């Protein structure tokens, strides 16, 4: 039984894509939070 059978490759790719999606989602939410903070800061300035 080889390591590189279809099921193992699929499992690995699924884990990889899940991790990448999680990282991207975290980045997006961080940018949104930053926008909110900047918006509030600018409102308080005026």
């Amino acid at each position: 039984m080889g390591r590189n059978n279809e099921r193992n490759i699929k499992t690995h790719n699924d884990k990889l894509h899940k991790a990448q999606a999680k990282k991207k989602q975290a980045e997006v939410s961080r940018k949104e939070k930053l926008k909110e903070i900047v918006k509030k800061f600018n409102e308080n300035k005026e």
Side-chain angles (χ1 to χ4, degrees), residues 20 30 45:
Q20 288 172 341
R30 198 167 31 239
K45 233 180 180 181

Side-chain angles (χ1 to χ4, degrees), residues 3-46:
R3 281 189 191 172
N4 290 337
N5 62 27
E6 285 298 316
R7 198 181 87 217
N8 289 345
I9 292 171
K10 184 182 182 325
T11 304
H12 172 75
N13 286 341
D14 288 348
K15 284 182 184 175
L16 183 68
H17 295 153
K18 190 174 182 181
Q20 288 172 341
K22 189 176 180 182
K23 185 178 175 185
K24 189 172 184 179
Q25 182 61 39
E27 207 172 289
V28 168
S29 67
R30 198 167 31 239
K31 284 182 181 178
E32 287 178 1
K33 286 178 186 175
L34 185 64
K35 280 184 188 175
E36 285 294 317
I37 291 168
V38 169
K39 190 175 176 183
K40 283 187 177 182
F41 180 77
N42 288 336
E43 284 177 2
N44 290 341
K45 233 180 180 181
E46 294 172 353

